[in-house]
Amino acid sequence: MRSATIALVVRFEGGKPSLVETLSDEREILFLENACEEGEEAPLNELHRRRALQSREDDEFGDYVETLLTQPFLRSDIRDHGVQWLRSKLRIEEYQQTEREAATTIASYAFQVYEQDPDMTDFSLSGTASLVRVRVFVLNKGQETSESKAA
């Protein structure tokens, strides 16, 4: 049986919970957990900053590989490795998109479960072939993101 973890980031508006974000990456969930335990003021802002930095680094490397592949006198083994890297990158992006879609679907149902019983902040949902641990992180007013303040 496959097992995964999804984190729901929730805040309360007018006494009612609202879903701010869904996380499915184990490193991001661990970062959020540690940031909340340490009393970080805006843990999602730091998480978004880290994502942007990683994305920028990935884009820079991708640009480097693409530029390298356009060189007219490139050795064939280097060209082959570059093409393999690009194909791998595409497969990873497709997988991540599928994972995001699945996480969104699961999170929607899990949030309904949480709305019915707000004391359920760590529970599991199981299917025929998988088990998903759901963790709920509730942001207090000091932990609102800049996006949530604008909402």
Side-chain angles (χ1 to χ4, degrees):
M1 182 176 277
R2 294 184 327 173
S3 177
T5 302
I6 290 183
L8 306 179
V9 182
V10 174
R11 70 178 166 155
F12 280 81
E13 296 174 337
K16 210 174 164 195
S18 67
L19 184 60
V20 176
E21 188 158 349
T22 301
L23 306 176
S24 60
D25 182 277
E26 293 288 337
R27 293 169 299 178
E28 289 185 349
I29 294 169
L30 182 60
F31 172 81
L32 181 64
E33 178 181 25
N34 291 335
C36 288
E37 286 176 0
E38 294 172 5
E40 174 74 33
E41 287 294 318
L44 284 182
N45 288 345
E46 179 61 20
L47 185 64
H48 293 158
R49 188 192 68 75
R50 286 174 174 230
R51 277 185 193 164
L53 178 62
Q54 183 65 49
S55 177
R56 195 167 38 252
E57 289 173 356
D58 290 347
D59 289 345
E60 287 173 5
F61 186 73
D63 291 345
Y64 168 75
V65 171
E66 288 177 23
T67 300
L68 188 65
L69 289 174
T70 62
Q71 301 303 312
F73 300 106
L74 188 64
R75 288 188 356 220
S76 63
D77 60 329
I78 293 175
R79 183 177 318 274
D80 291 343
H81 285 294
V83 170
Q84 287 174 357
W85 181 85
L86 286 171
R87 286 182 180 150
S88 176
K89 181 180 179 195
L90 288 173
R91 283 192 301 270
I92 289 169
E93 288 174 354
E94 288 174 5
Y95 172 81
Q96 289 172 333
Q97 179 62 30
T98 302
E99 182 180 308
R100 277 191 299 272
E101 290 170 1
T104 299
T105 301
I106 294 166
S108 175
Y109 178 74
F111 184 67
Q112 291 174 9
V113 171
Y114 174 74
E115 282 183 308
Q116 292 173 4
D117 185 358
D119 291 332
M120 292 184 65
T121 58
D122 193 346
F123 58 95
S124 295
L125 300 173
S126 62
T128 56
S130 61
L131 176 71
V132 178
R133 179 181 180 198
V134 178
R135 301 192 55 207
V136 180
F137 294 90
V138 179
L139 299 181
N140 62 29
K141 295 208 183 293
Q143 294 175 312
E144 289 182 5
T145 65
S146 56
E147 295 85 19
S148 66
K149 288 179 184 175

